[in-house]
Amino acid sequence: MKVKEVADLTGVSVRTLHHYDDIGLLVPDDVTEAGYRVYSDENLTTLQQILFFREVGFPLKKIKELLDSPSFNRLEAFELQREMLLAKHRQLEMMIQTIDKTLQTERGEMTMTNEEKFKGFDFSSNPYEQEARNRWGDEAVDKANKNVAKFGKETQEEMNRIYYNLAELRHTDPASVEAQAAISDWYTFLNKIGDYSLEAFAGLGEMYVADERFTKNIDQFGEGLALFMRDAMKAYATRRKQV
Amino acid sequence: MKVKEVADLTGVSVRTLHHYDDIGLLVPDDVTEAGYRVYSDENLTTLQQILFFREVGFPLKKIKELLDSPSFNRLEAFELQREMLLAKHRQLEMMIQTIDKTLQTERGEMTMTNEEKFKGFDFSSNPYEQEARNRWGDEAVDKANKNVAKFGKETQEEMNRIYYNLAELRHTDPASVEAQAAISDWYTFLNKIGDYSLEAFAGLGEMYVADERFTKNIDQFGEGLALFMRDAMKAYATRRKQV
DNA sequence: TATAGAGTATGACGTAACGTGAGAGTCAAC
DNA sequence: GTTGACTCTCACGTTACGTCATACTCTATA
């Protein structure tokens, strides 16, 4: 299919498809000799995914990261998207209720507090978005760091100690007893300030190497630490799941 | 209430409130001596309106036009917003169905056409336009411009004359005798080339502001004409229905 | 009462996700 | 062989804020 066919089918503009091609988010599987973009059925499925994530408010950059992520699983993604759409659905219901109440208020049939006036409007707390970010997104790290700040100096120092310990081991085997002990401290620490399943923990490790901003941050404690931590975290999660 | 209180209550950022102040969309009713913005309860109600319109995809500029419009009626607006939210609600239901089908497809339980894959995704037109099309029918929307072309040059010229007349009145009261006389010409004209009930006529007016393609076209004769025509058309339909 | 800490103000530049031409090549149809 | 619809690649414009930087204000507390 050529651009306009895809555009007409999906409702996005041709320019949008160009843009997605430019940023590498949706690169057509084929091009004609004249340079015309040709989209495959596989491309269409990807586009569907992109539009779902876009609809629930993910920035394109993050969508790309998700789709590129080695741990990305289409079926799982669809299920999550379903949940998120349902959440949005419920949110809309709240907004409609809010409107109904407002209408009654305008007619003088009842009164509303200011909080009630904005029920359903606060998007800052979408639990499913949070879940998605935990599962695949780099926000997991942000969250951790923010929480650390919130938990004060001692926590910060504890975190640094763990980093230093790990940094010293970074040229050894990530699956060794020492490394696993150190990474276990890391897991314990993270669960003090947040809530990480083993899957999330392993996913977080992936992010340490997948996203250069975190690689850079972590590697301040020692070059190659991020990579080492990812391997150690993966090994840790795998081993503990087997038990 | 000061900025942060409002921000916390509504979930928008402080920067957003600054921005809305800058562009004149939401100007706080009061300022302290130190220049701090102080929002009244009236301001909060306006903000609620703004967020509703924003949620259904209206650009801020259009929201400002709506709120500033002399014919703007809060109660009516709430009812319209309710409709729009319901439309979005239905759209979400379609998307959820689409996901369910996709999940079954992934499991190999069924197959989907490409059209089905994108059902519910076509946002090319704002949800309200969808709603408008449902309510007043597709023809009402497309008919006007297409038919004019078909009816030849004289018809085209007559149409332009009417537009020019209206454009000159566009800063006056849409319900005034002059404006109503001019809009009556418009109604007569439209019924020469098509078939418009009063409801369809009013609905068409709504489309003039809801669909930017129309707005752009009409505003070529004078900025703000589309909005003026909508108000005049609505007043015209209301008045004639009462008789 | 001094001072820290949280809140607020105004620039001003940055960013995301495209929109909108401009200028030119491509392709099927009549 | 010439329309007319479609496509390409620049490249600048736009919307709705985000993100500093710098400076002022307010209040709780040592």
Side-chain angles (χ1 to χ4, degrees), chain A residues 1-3 5-7 9-10 12 17 26-29 38-52 74 78, chain B residues 112-115 117-118 121:
Chain A
M1 295 182 86
K2 276 185 277 179
V3 266
E5 291 178 82
V6 178
L9 174 68
T10 63
V12 308
L17 292 171
L26 182 67
V27 180
D29 268 356
V38 177
Y39 292 85
S40 68
D41 268 28
E42 178 65 24
N43 282 149
L44 286 183
T45 305
T46 305
L47 179 53
Q48 192 194 6
Q49 287 281 347
I50 291 169
L51 294 184
F52 267 116
R74 249 189 14 219
F78 276 125
Chain B
M112 279 173 94
T113 68
N114 281 334
E115 283 81 24
K117 272 188 191 168
F118 290 93
F121 275 94

Side-chain angles (χ1 to χ4, degrees), chain A residues 168-183:
Chain A
E168 283 183 17
L169 295 166
R170 73 183 189 279
H171 296 304
T172 70
D173 179 10
S176 73
V177 181
E178 294 81 17
Q180 288 297 303
I183 211 70

Side-chain angles (χ1 to χ4, degrees), chain B residues 30-31 58 65 73 83 109-110 141 147 151 160 168 170 190-191 196 202-203 211 221 238:
Chain B
D30 203 5
V31 274
F58 277 64
E65 279 173 22
N73 174 317
E83 289 297 314
E109 293 171 18
M110 66 171 287
V141 176
N147 276 0
F151 275 69
N160 286 348
E168 283 183 16
R170 73 184 189 278
L190 283 180
N191 273 299
Y196 289 86
D211 189 319
F221 294 90
T238 309

Side-chain angles (χ1 to χ4, degrees), chain A residues 9-64:
Chain A
L9 174 68
T10 63
V12 308
S13 72
V14 170
R15 179 65 175 87
T16 298
L17 292 171
H18 284 177
H19 184 58
Y20 289 176
D21 188 2
D22 287 348
I23 64 175
L25 179 57
L26 182 67
V27 180
D29 268 356
D30 204 4
V31 274
T32 70
E33 214 149 273
Y36 286 20
R37 294 169 178 79
V38 177
Y39 292 85
S40 68
D41 268 28
E42 178 65 24
N43 282 149
L44 286 183
T45 305
T46 305
L47 179 53
Q48 192 194 6
Q49 287 281 347
I50 291 169
L51 294 184
F52 267 116
F53 280 120
R54 195 184 67 167
E55 171 66 14
V56 292
F58 278 65
L60 300 186
K61 198 176 167 190
K62 203 156 285 170
I63 297 178
K64 183 164 152 55

Side-chain angles (χ1 to χ4, degrees), chain B residues 128 136 140 186 190 198-211 214-215 218 226-234:
Chain B
Y128 177 57
W136 298 295
W186 183 231
L190 283 180
L198 284 170
E199 285 79 13
F201 187 61
L204 190 60
E206 291 296 339
M207 288 308 307
Y208 288 173
V209 304
D211 189 319
F214 281 99
T215 314
I218 294 171
L227 196 62
F228 172 77
M229 284 183 72
R230 184 205 59 172
D231 291 341
M233 287 163 86
K234 186 192 267 176

Side-chain angles (χ1 to χ4, degrees), chain B residues 175-222:
Chain B
S176 74
V177 181
E178 295 81 17
Q180 288 297 304
I183 211 71
S184 173
D185 288 347
W186 183 231
Y187 187 58
T188 310
F189 172 78
L190 283 180
N191 273 299
K192 251 186 238 169
I193 60 177
D195 182 28
Y196 289 86
S197 68
L198 284 170
E199 285 79 13
F201 187 61
L204 190 60
E206 291 296 339
M207 288 308 307
Y208 288 173
V209 304
D211 189 319
E212 53 179 301
R213 290 169 298 178
F214 281 99
T215 314
K216 227 166 122 185
N217 236 311
I218 294 171
D219 277 7
Q220 284 177 346
F221 294 90

